[in-house]
Amino acid sequence: QVQLVESGGGLVQAGDSLRLSCAASGRAFSSYGMGWFRQAPGKEREIVAAINGNGDSTYYSDSVKGRFTISRDNAKNTVYLQMNSLKPEDTAVYYCAADTSFGGSWYVPRFRHNYDYWGVGTQVTVSS
């Protein structure tokens, strides 16, 4: 069982920045692929960014590429999402997720079905 707790969400203006954090339980954190997803009201949950367990490979959705950066500190069992140049369309609940499968150290999980543990989410609201 893996527990994930997100923090860092809030209400900001367009153009501002936020850093989300996800604290994870477990001694095998460095072997987990980690991802950030978001879900706006009435919309499907979508991937935002993902990172492999080693932290040397990442994936970003086209909508956030160049603005968001995913990173991790395995010594702290924490994954981060630095969000810059925020736009109103970034408004959503942001979820942290973990892929605990065998290849998580090496491969970036790019699809929702790759993930088997989820946090409860943190709200990000960007006003115009």
Side-chain angles (χ1 to χ4, degrees):
Q1 183 71 27
V2 176
Q3 297 179 64
L4 305 171
V5 180
E6 303 98 335
S7 62
L11 173 62
V12 298
Q13 293 185 318
D16 285 352
S17 297
L18 280 175
R19 176 183 268 113
L20 305 183
S21 298
C22 174
S25 66
R27 293 179 294 172
F29 179 73
S30 63
S31 70
Y32 304 159
M34 299 294 296
W36 287 97
F37 290 74
R38 66 186 182 188
Q39 188 166 21
K43 301 289 184 63
E44 181 79 3
R45 189 173 301 184
E46 63 177 359
I47 193 166
V48 175
I51 188 168
N52 66 352
N54 292 335
D56 59 7
S57 187
T58 58
Y59 167 83
Y60 298 95
S61 67
D62 289 341
S63 62
V64 308
K65 195 174 301 180
R67 299 188 297 122
F68 291 10
T69 303
I70 189 171
S71 62
R72 64 193 297 157
D73 186 339
N74 287 341
K76 297 180 178 179
N77 272 29
T78 302
V79 64
Y80 305 95
L81 185 68
Q82 177 66 47
M83 304 185 294
N84 297 328
S85 302
L86 283 162
K87 304 174 180 180
E89 51 262 46
D90 295 318
T91 296
V93 177
Y94 282 71
Y95 298 91
C96 177
D99 168 21
T100 63
S101 67
F102 178 75
S105 294
W106 301 103
Y107 301 104
V108 180
R110 303 177 186 272
F111 307 102
R112 193 166 69 180
H113 65 78
N114 293 140
Y115 295 89
D116 42 10
Y117 294 95
W118 297 82
V120 299
T122 186
Q123 177 71 46
V124 172
T125 303
V126 185
S127 65
S128 59

